[in-house]
Structure formats: structure tokens, C-alpha cells
Amino acid sequence: MLVAAAVCPCPPLLVPEAAAGAAPELDTARVACADALGVLAAARPDRLVVVGPAEQSRQGPYQEGTRGSFRGFGVDLEVRLGSGPGVGPGEGRPDPAAPERELPASLAVAAWLLQRTDWSHAPVEGLGVGEPLAAERCIQIGKEIVARAERVALLVMGDASACRSLKAPGYLDERAAEFDAEVARALAAADVAALEALDAALARELMASGRVPWQVLAGAADGAGLRGALLYEDAPYGVGYLVAAWS
């Protein structure tokens, strides 16, 4: 069953090395993410599953130790998922025993968050998901995830709309603020039904990468009786970033 969940945004800018001079602008978000991961640790899960958006070629499962990097964002920085084979502590070279397929960007950001908080509380695995998964399939995936262990925690990565300002990646869309506000309300209240009911077509138009991961969370949390808390809500760069913790 699901014992806890943390919801975090997944922009590579969350990693200070990738953000460069803009790094301080997301300091509050980083603190909120660390607090959310603390809730996961306190729940003492048997397994942590990290779910994040991925392009079609990167969708699917990722085992512990899988490497990721931020070289595509101009930074020579490698991470690995959890504590399995991969890049050793303080090393810049990959372990030959590590899985070959690299993490999608969202799971690389999650791996960085876990390394930053010295996660060692439970084995970790990753799952890349994304369009065009329908809500029904997302919910089913969530149920399958929590059925695999007695005490499962989720780290759910994903951004809200990318249309909150004229300079946003998707330009300004007047529907974006309302969409993000509804997601924030649902996450704050651990409202499973509201997440299940998110409009997939609207989310796609607003470039909200979190829609699929949030609906996986909804499936996993159905019947778990968790309570939610919204730890961060803002839209720097015109993109909605939300941090929440369910326990």
C-alpha cells in the first residue's frame, strides 16, 4: 500500500549547476523538495518508486543504479538513481556494472534530489511515463505499483502548466492559472478524485508535464487515506512548480 508521497517539479534548473546564475531563484523550491523527501523517509517505506515524465523512447522502468546526466543542459554532472551500481560517491566515472540506458531528465532531477538528501531508507526504482497515456491507464499503473510491496512511497516528478506568462515556453494562456490552482488544491487536499479528473487534452495544450505522473499517484493513493500538504507553489519563468507531501 502507499504510505507516503512527495510531489516535486522536475526542471533541470532545480540543479544549481544547471541553473548557473539563476540558481538562487529556486532555493525555496529546493528546500521544499527536501522537506517533502523527509516525509517519505519518516514513513519508513519498503520501496521507493520515482515516477516522472519522459519522452516516448525513455518511457518504462529504470532499476536502481541507473545513471543520468545533465550534459544535455551544458553541465558535466552525472547522477544515479538510488544506491545501486552506478557512479560512486564523489566519482565522475560510471561503474561498468551500471545499467546502460540513461535516465530521462525528470528522473535525473529526482536522482539529484535523492543524492542531495542522502537517501538510504529503502530501495529505489524509477518509472518514466508520459503522453499519450489516458487517465484510466495511469490509475491502473498506480495500483500496480503499490501492489508490489507492503509499504510503498512515491516520489512524483512533474511540472504544472508552461503558459503562465508572455515569456513562458508556451506563451501566455489565460487558462493556465486556473488549471494550476486546481492541481495545487488537489495536491494540498490529497484529493484523488480531482487528480483522476484532470483534463488530459487541456493539460497537453498547457504543456503540463505532471498530468500523467499525478494521475499515477491518484491510482496509487486510492483508498490509502493519506493527508496532503502543499509546501511550495510558484511560477518562475512562467512555468508552474508545485511541491507537496502526502502522509
Side-chain angles (χ1 to χ4, degrees):
M1 66 174 291
L2 185 70
V3 295
V7 177
C8 295
C10 59
L13 289 175
L14 205 58
V15 179
E17 292 88 341
E25 296 178 23
L26 291 178
D27 280 348
T28 304
R30 294 183 191 99
V31 171
C33 289
D35 290 344
L37 265 61
V39 172
L40 299 185
R44 299 181 180 179
D46 299 325
R47 182 182 302 275
L48 173 63
V49 180
V50 183
V51 181
E55 60 269 32
Q56 197 87 27
S57 63
R58 295 278 185 97
Q59 292 179 21
Y62 290 84
Q63 68 186 67
E64 187 161 26
T66 304
R67 300 188 308 273
S69 83
F70 295 91
R71 284 188 293 272
F73 304 96
V75 180
D76 187 17
L77 174 66
E78 285 197 348
V79 293
R80 61 172 175 165
L81 189 64
S83 57
V87 179
E91 296 179 357
R93 300 184 307 277
D95 186 325
E100 290 184 5
R101 191 168 67 140
E102 283 203 352
L103 298 170
S106 67
L107 298 190
V109 172
W112 178 83
L113 288 172
L114 291 169
Q115 288 183 189
R116 183 172 181 256
T117 55
D118 295 322
W119 178 269
S120 60
H121 308 282
V124 182
E125 62 185 74
L127 178 65
V129 294
E131 299 294 349
L133 281 181
E136 294 78 10
R137 180 56 184 145
C138 297
I139 293 164
Q140 183 59 37
I141 290 171
K143 293 181 183 297
E144 292 169 357
I145 288 172
V146 295
R148 297 206 304 263
E150 186 174 343
R151 298 179 62 81
V152 177
L154 286 183
L155 173 52
V156 181
M157 309 298 292
D159 300 338
S161 72
C163 303
R164 292 281 295 274
S165 73
L166 294 175
K167 294 184 178 180
Y171 197 65
L172 177 65
D173 190 313
E174 299 295 342
R175 302 170 297 173
E178 183 178 351
F179 177 88
D180 290 358
E182 172 58 16
V183 174
R185 187 206 63 78
L187 292 176
D191 189 336
V192 169
L195 293 180
E196 291 178 345
L198 289 175
D199 187 325
L202 177 59
R204 186 164 53 251
E205 291 172 10
L206 297 177
M207 302 172 65
S209 69
R211 191 274 300 179
V212 170
W214 297 330
Q215 290 187 321
V216 171
L217 167 62
D222 189 23
L226 302 183
R227 294 184 177 182
L230 188 66
L231 306 182
Y232 177 87
E233 178 185 8
D234 203 355
Y237 322 115
V239 181
Y241 296 151
L242 302 166
V243 181
W246 291 13
S247 62

